[in-house]
Amino acid sequence: MGRRIHNLILLTLELYSATVFSQVTTRQSHDRIELPAVTSADSLLIEHTGFSLSYNFDTNCPNWVAWNLTEEKAYSTQFKRSNDFRGDIMVPPLHRVEGYDYKPTEFDRGHMCPAGDMKWNADAMSECFLMSNICPQIPVLNQIWWEHLEKACRRWASQERRIYICCGPIYDKRSEARYIGEEVKIRVPDAFFKVVVSLQQGKEKGIGFYYRNDDSRQTMESAALSIDQVEELTGYDFFAELPDEMEIRIEAQNKLSAWR
């Protein structure tokens, strides 16, 4: 039987997902520094063991995924990569992407919160392979340039003791929308953002990045932006829980050299 054949099963699952959403929203902490200030009305806020995300019902991709990474988590080797791509039961069935929805396509199943950051916990590792944490990424971007940034974040978590990260897709309103998938239509991002903050006392700093979803060469130097610039691109208000003076100061920074 297909995923959406029986209307009664569908209704039951929809009601179950709505209940899960209510529970997640209730227990979600509102002072998590890495979470953007606003989740749009057409989105579902979900909290997993190692990360939180806002899921978009129009694109069937996350709006953003956010987590914090400590030195201990960054270099844990306790659990190996699980590779168990699967649908997220917290997403209503009509919008629930499965691992096979990406095949056959030219796109990788690109992690927003990477498996390399989740080796500290079995549930965290498994849950980062939920398709709610995944976006269509061109292989060159996913396997080279985006991965370079992921590895850099683990180095920064080690040197800073803790960093706060938020990333996600960007859709250009000027370009024609592209989709993959058959039962669930998944919009292909035009680009991706990532913002990172360290709150090491006396050395607070922040930086943003913008990567095109194509096969061009994209170094961290060329992709670096200020968090203010990423906010202009996305419309999100990042790190709004910080004191205003600190937020203004660190969100204006864009020097990659400050992280080395």
Side-chain angles (χ1 to χ4, degrees), residues 5-147:
I5 292 177
H6 199 292
N7 288 338
L8 180 60
I9 293 177
L10 180 59
L11 177 60
T12 302
L13 290 173
E14 292 280 11
L15 291 172
Y16 169 74
S17 293
T19 302
V20 170
F21 172 46
S22 176
Q23 293 170 347
V24 171
T25 304
T26 300
R27 71 171 185 263
Q28 175 67 54
S29 170
H30 294 286
D31 61 356
R32 290 269 299 279
I33 293 170
E34 66 268 25
L35 300 185
V38 176
T39 300
S40 59
D42 61 348
S43 303
L44 180 68
L45 182 64
I46 300 174
E47 183 179 340
H48 288 301
T49 302
F51 59 94
S52 300
L53 66 93
S54 167
Y55 191 83
N56 189 291
F57 294 138
D58 290 331
T59 64
N60 293 313
C61 283
N63 290 310
W64 49 259
V65 180
W67 67 104
N68 67 76
L69 187 62
T70 64
E71 180 181 18
E72 293 75 20
K73 290 178 180 179
Y75 287 106
S76 173
T77 58
Q78 191 171 1
F79 296 96
K80 294 182 179 179
R81 183 183 172 96
S82 65
N83 284 320
D84 53 339
F85 290 99
R86 64 197 188 282
D88 188 339
I89 64 167
M90 292 188 179
V91 174
L94 286 175
H95 299 278
R96 187 182 303 157
V97 178
E98 299 291 347
Y100 53 76
D101 285 317
Y102 277 58
K103 295 182 178 181
T105 72
E106 63 183 292
F107 298 97
D108 282 356
R109 294 172 293 195
H111 284 79
M112 296 296 96
C113 178
D117 289 7
M118 298 289 112
K119 293 181 179 180
W120 51 275
N121 180 279
D123 290 335
M125 171 58 74
S126 178
E127 289 168 1
C128 81
F129 284 89
L130 293 172
M131 297 303 293
S132 56
N133 180 45
I134 304 297
C135 290
Q137 281 188 324
I138 291 291
V140 170
L141 173 62
N142 180 44
Q143 298 169 30
I144 300 178
W145 310 115
W146 192 249
E147 185 178 7

